[in-house]
Amino acid sequence: MRAILALEDGFILEGVSFTGPIELTGGEVIFNTTMIGYQELITDPASAGQLLCITYPVIGSYGINPEDMESGKAQVSALIVKECCKEPSNWRSTETLPDFLVRCGVPGIEGVDTRALALHLREHGTMRACISTSLSAEELVAKAKALPAIEGQSAVPAVTCTAPERWNGEAREAFTSWAEGKTKVAVYDFGVKNSQLRGLAAEGMDLCIVPASFTADQVKATGAEAVFLSSGPGDPSALKDVIAEVAKLAETMPVAGVGLGHQLLALALGGTASKMKIGHHGANYPSRKLATGNVIITTQNCGFTVTAPDGVEKTFVGLNDDTVEGFRHTTKSILTLQFEACPKFYAEFKALVK
């Protein structure tokens, strides 16, 4: 079934739907350069509302499995690939990529010149786009132009939990009480990934996952000893109420943030945020650790960057564009990373808890 992808600047690409008819879907179109991990990308809440183009030519070859889910469903608004593999070969696979997308109500198109799309976005910047199997290219361009601006928008209300939950080691369940003998951490759910919950739990932390709307007083009332701000989608500047509460928490409690959490902490401490031209979406972003000069290759999924606020020392900077990718407060127990955290970061966070 012929499908059309239309960007707001009039750039048009054609493909074929592999999930059935697509009446209309739209959002920010971005490209990701990773070669593996498509399931994690599709189910990452930080990708909520985006039209995700994966540039690796064949996607779906190892299927879908329950263990690699970063959330309970596909979070993207659409998937754009060069070729979708409909017959995966992997012992862990329990479902094909097309079946998974159909089950989640997410359209997928293939046969698209993903290289041309990536080059166009790299030159002109991330922009809004629409996909349909029934509307004309002219209609889709007009609808893409009519979408809300990317700046000032946040999908966090659509991906956060509605009541406190706890991580039992394998899944999330209703929160009742803290476990004995573990560090008590309140995890703000701005679109927290399962891998982040596993990383925190592996360091002996007991986790109370709280909605993004939770106030500082509500967090303290849980009895938490520290706060973790998760990754998530959208413009951090749009979450003004959250920023105010984070500022209160940062005055009295150890706080760590990753991705969107890193950006919110920067804003809460007086920094600023701005949209990047194409964002960081991939697994090959070099970042320099300032304390040692060592360079590490990082996985990132973000469209905004921040300035370092007063009172902090930068810990990591991006080598491609000198973006602030981590900082530590000089007098408070605050630690952040823009990119995907490793076990050492979670251990450093736990060490901040007195």
Side-chain angles (χ1 to χ4, degrees), residues 140-317:
L140 289 175
V141 171
K143 289 187 177 296
K145 290 180 178 178
L147 290 172
I150 298 169
E151 292 89 341
Q153 301 296 317
S154 177
V156 167
V159 298
T160 188
C161 58
T162 57
E165 300 176 342
R166 75 184 312 272
W167 177 252
N168 66 14
E170 297 180 355
R172 292 160 66 158
E173 59 189 21
F175 180 82
T176 53
S177 62
W178 296 103
E180 293 293 332
K182 294 187 175 183
T183 303
K184 303 176 179 66
V185 176
V187 177
Y188 263 96
D189 183 11
F190 304 127
V192 65
K193 301 198 297 184
N194 289 343
S195 57
Q196 292 173 344
L197 298 173
R198 286 193 289 266
L200 291 164
E203 293 298 325
M205 302 183 216
D206 194 33
L207 311 178
C208 176
I209 307 162
V210 302
S213 60
F214 247 44
T215 66
D217 288 340
Q218 286 176 300
V219 169
K220 292 174 182 177
T222 67
E225 300 171 288
V227 177
F228 178 82
L229 309 179
S230 80
S231 57
D235 184 349
S237 301
L239 300 171
K240 291 180 170 44
D241 291 343
V242 173
I243 293 168
E245 299 304 322
V246 169
K248 296 175 186 176
L249 290 167
E251 287 295 325
T252 59
M253 298 182 71
V255 185
V258 170
L260 180 62
H262 154 82
Q263 298 164 9
L264 291 170
L265 264 170
L267 294 177
L269 295 171
T272 60
S274 59
K275 191 178 186 307
M276 292 184 279
K277 182 179 178 180
I278 55 173
H280 293 174
H281 306 284
N284 60 346
Y285 286 91
S287 186
R288 184 184 300 278
K289 186 174 183 179
L290 296 180
T292 63
N294 293 340
V295 175
I296 61 174
I297 303 302
T298 70
T299 297
Q300 302 191 27
N301 188 18
C302 61
F304 290 79
T305 185
V306 294
T307 60
D310 293 337
V312 308
E313 57 179 9
K314 292 186 286 187
T315 53
F316 289 91
V317 295

